[in-house]
Structure formats: structure tokens, C-alpha cells
Amino acid sequence: MSQKPQPPSHGLAVCPDPECGEPVDPRDRFCGACGHELTAAAELPAGQDRPTMPIAAPVWPEAPPRDPGSLSTLTQHPGELPGTDSGGHDLPTVPVRTDGPPAAPRGETVRGGGDFELAAPDPRAAVRVDADVPAVPEGSDGLCVACRAGRVDGDGYCENCGHAQPRERDHMERELGTVAAVSDRGLRHHRNEDSFAITETSLPDGRPATVAIVCDGVSSAHRPDEASAAAARAAGAVLGEALPRGTHPQQAMHEAIVAAAEAVTALARTEGPDAGADSSHGGNSPACTIVGSVVTDGLLVVGWVGDSRAYWVPDDRTAPAARLTEDDSWAAQMVKAGLMNEAQAYADERAHAITGWLGADAYELEPHTAAFKPDRAGVVVVCTDGLWNYAEAAEAMAGAVPADAALRPLHAARVLVGHALDGGGHDNITVAVTPFAPTPSGAPSP
């Protein structure tokens, strides 16, 4: 789960168990990590919060000149977008990196120390997400799924044994003709704070376009699950409407990220159990990261804010895979500034502190977009750090993607989620897989 750097004035609710200390939602009665009863714990004294990074506003040194071969994808700003209408203007070919930091070692589930393993939802009983049919979680009869004796309280925990009940978002899947997505709670978190949206639409000339949006709620903020859901829903809706109108896919992606940010910011003004803590004036407001892709005839557009990522994996695995996004994170900034190499930066405990996110208390909104024209068939993988923590380098991600991913994207998404669960499942995991086919020789480009 992504975490944003926060000043000490952001009071975080944490588990009072000294051997745990995991972030908890003020509405919860039990800690999702260790099961400690929260209602019996005294409130933390003022100033005893646990921010991910105790800084108010990061000021990074200027990056020294770099060899173009060491750069990742081109990051473009709104005023620099080429071809922002449907006039058919070609976008420049953007070089992408084919290297990356060493693959992270497979994690091991921690035993003892106040932690316990949460059973992963059975994929055979997965919630299939349909647009108009709400999923029904297990335990809907009001009885605990663990002890089958206690009643389930409003906070989702058994009044008898304290067991966290399966929720609607614990494991979700959706498949369309040209894209599939899977989201899973993982093995350590008490709820799924990720969300996704996938859409099939078309350009004005009838050419199909496929949209995939993945959002990761910031765990150190209030209502991160609501933030990711609102962002994914807003971004997917904007892209689904803008592309048929003739908006260039890259400009449409920029507009979608702006709309997602506005949707998350609006949550800070809504009533709810945490409304008093949420404020657009420095409160610990709902927040999330976002990454998305648009795949149309011969063109691949990605957009992002935060540390959720997009990867390109060609069907021909002898060709290099590539990471298409550059993290808004402490580690990425250190590498960009030339202060550390990637191995050093990602080994630091501050590596995953993000420097960009969607939310009312974001320092500034700076959507990143990039466009590519791959010359061969493959798949686009957009995912949260719950997956790429276990396949960080492009080569590692390509090794985890099944060879038939373009033919069976839902199967590929399930395999990737399983890869993260096998690695330890320490975070929520969300991934969308979209096949890509290059424009046939002589055909017009979008």
C-alpha cells in the first residue's frame, strides 16, 4: 500500500500493541494485522503519530545531466502534449527503459511479533464485478464465517471471536473482450484498498479503444478504499466519454487524471465517520495513486500519479520488456537527482514514500502521460505496488506474465496476483492486462 510523506501534524491512528504498530482505521474495533481490540486502547497523546516520512514539502536537488540511455519514459506536461485533438497527428516515438532495479527477493510472511496470517480468499469463490450487479459478500446471513456462532457487527468483525469477515472487495475480477483485471486483499491487510475500472469504447472512426485504470489507496490516509474507488470510477468515466468524442487519447488521459483527483478531493468535504478528520486545510484527507492505459489501433498511452506502474511485455520474450512509468517516490527522486543508484535507493526504508498522489492535501497535481507505438504484439500490465514489489524490474515482470497472456488476459491477471501471494502478499494486489496489436504496415495511425 502506498504511503505519502506527512508532517507531524497529521495524526495517524496506529495499533496500540507495541509489537504491531500498523495503521488502523478509526472506525475499526480490531486491528487488521494483529487482532488487538482498539476500543479498549487509550488514544495516543498529541504528537505521538507515526508518519511515513516526517517532512512537510520535499525539495529535491536539481538532477545532473544524464545519459539518454539511462532515462525512463518521457514525462509530458499538459502544455507539451502533441496532437491533442482527433486530427490524426503522429506522436513522437518515445524511448523506454529496458533495465530496472534488481528484482526484490520473495517475501516471507512474518510469524510471531503480534502478526498472524489472514487466509487469502479462494479464487474459485471470487467476486465477479459486473457493472450493474452488486456483489454479495460471504457471511451475508449475519453469522461469522469463522466460528459460525457470533453475529457480525457493523464494522465487519465477529462480536464473538473478533474474526474479520470477508468483504465484497476482498477479491474482485472483471473480464471484457480485450482487457481483464483482478484485485485481491492480499494476506496481511484486513481490507482491500485498491480499485480498478476497465472499459471498452471506440474512436469516432469506429476503431476500438480499451481503457484500464488501477488505483491504490494511501494507507496512511483516512478512507483510502473510498479514495481509490472514486478515482477509478471518475477516470474510467471520463475516458469512456472523451475518446468517442475525438479527444486525443493522451489528452483524454490527462483529463481523466484531473477528474480522478477532483473526485478524491471531494471526499474530504463529504459527511461520514471520518468527516471531522478530513479537511482540505491540512487534514489527513483521503488519497490514492493512479495509473492507467489506453490501447487503440497501434497506439499505447499511459498516465499516472504516484507509484503504481505500467509495464510493456512483448509476446516474443526474446525482445526486451519495458517499464513505461517513472514513480513519484522518494527512491525515484534520489536516483533522478544522482544521489543514489537504484539498488541503494530501493533498499532504503523510505523508498516507497510517495511524492505525488491524488487528494485534497496533495502538494500539487502533476499528471504524467506518455505515448508509445510498439512495433510488435504484446500486453500492457498496469498494477499497484502490491504486485511489482515481487516483480520490480521489467525482466522480472515479463518472467511472471504467462506466455499466452494476450490470448487469456484474465488467466494472466490471476497468475500475476498468485505470483504476489506466493511472494508473501504483504499488500493489496491489483492488476489489469490488456493485449496490444501493432498497426498493420500501411494502415493509418491514430
Side-chain angles (χ1 to χ4, degrees), residues 24-434:
V24 296
D25 192 301
R27 296 171 292 180
D28 292 343
R29 293 182 58 194
F30 298 90
C31 174
C34 69
H36 188 91
E37 186 176 359
L38 303 177
T39 54
E43 295 184 358
L44 286 174
Q48 295 300 310
D49 58 337
R50 293 193 181 187
T52 302
M53 240 181 102
I55 59 176
V59 179
W60 309 108
E62 291 293 328
R66 292 171 292 173
D67 177 18
S70 69
L71 292 174
S72 63
T73 62
L74 176 65
T75 299
Q76 297 175 321
H77 300 280
E80 303 170 343
L81 296 180
T84 56
D85 56 29
S86 58
H89 302 295
D90 286 341
L91 289 169
T93 301
V94 181
V96 300
R97 65 186 292 170
T98 58
D99 61 343
R106 285 176 169 261
E108 295 181 358
T109 302
V110 178
R111 301 180 183 276
D115 267 330
F116 63 92
E117 294 185 58
L118 295 176
D122 187 344
R124 294 170 297 181
V127 174
R128 296 301 300 272
V129 180
D130 295 318
D132 302 319
V133 182
V136 179
E138 296 182 49
S140 56
D141 58 359
L143 290 179
C144 174
V145 299
C147 68
R148 300 303 299 173
R151 305 297 298 183
V152 178
D153 203 348
D155 62 359
Y157 290 81
C158 175
E159 294 178 335
N160 178 52
C161 68
H163 189 91
Q165 304 301 295
R167 304 180 186 183
E168 178 180 331
R169 286 172 61 171
D170 277 358
H171 187 96
M172 302 180 294
E173 298 184 353
R174 192 177 183 200
E175 182 180 30
L176 302 178
T178 57
V179 62
V182 176
S183 183
D184 192 274
R185 185 190 69 195
L187 303 178
R188 295 284 298 279
H189 284 271
H190 74 292
R191 67 180 175 187
N192 188 358
E193 296 171 354
D194 289 355
S195 193
F196 67 81
I198 56 175
T199 305
E200 290 181 320
T201 185
S202 60
L203 304 182
D205 59 5
R207 286 178 294 176
T210 302
V211 173
I213 300 291
V214 166
C215 297
D216 181 355
V218 175
S219 60
S220 57
H222 289 300
R223 301 153 66 193
D225 51 336
E226 297 178 40
S228 64
R233 184 166 53 247
V238 167
L239 284 164
E241 295 171 1
L243 293 173
R245 288 200 309 263
T247 305
H248 192 281
Q250 193 170 2
Q251 178 64 23
M253 178 63 74
H254 172 80
E255 295 172 358
I257 294 175
V258 172
E262 292 173 349
V264 178
T265 298
L267 290 177
R269 298 187 293 269
T270 60
E271 294 296 328
D274 297 328
D278 293 343
S279 168
S280 59
H281 305 289
N284 195 20
S285 304
C288 70
T289 69
I290 187 170
V291 64
S293 67
V294 175
V295 172
T296 186
D297 189 17
L299 179 67
L300 163 59
V301 171
V302 296
W304 74 97
V305 173
D307 64 348
S308 294
R309 292 181 177 181
Y311 290 83
W312 161 253
V313 179
D315 290 346
D316 178 7
R317 299 304 167 81
T318 62
R323 197 179 92 194
L324 307 178
T325 57
E326 186 174 77
D327 299 344
D328 291 320
S329 70
W330 183 92
Q333 294 286 2
M334 291 298 101
V335 174
K336 182 184 296 185
L339 302 177
M340 293 183 177
N341 61 37
E342 287 186 327
Q344 294 170 331
Y346 282 95
D348 194 284
E349 62 182 6
R350 298 165 291 182
H352 291 281
I354 57 176
T355 58
W357 61 85
L358 309 183
D361 58 356
Y363 299 129
E364 63 178 329
L365 176 63
E366 188 177 357
H368 311 296
T369 64
F372 308 91
K373 292 184 177 180
D375 60 355
R376 65 197 67 204
V379 294
V380 184
V381 176
V382 294
C383 62
T384 61
D385 59 348
L387 171 60
W388 67 253
N389 277 334
Y390 302 99
E392 190 164 351
E395 293 81 359
M397 183 63 71
V401 174
D404 61 350
L407 300 176
R408 297 198 295 165
L410 178 59
H411 169 73
R414 287 170 173 167
V415 168
L416 290 171
V417 168
H419 177 78
L421 292 174
D422 290 343
H426 283 63
D427 202 348
N428 305 145
I429 310 151
T430 302
V431 57
V433 177
T434 307

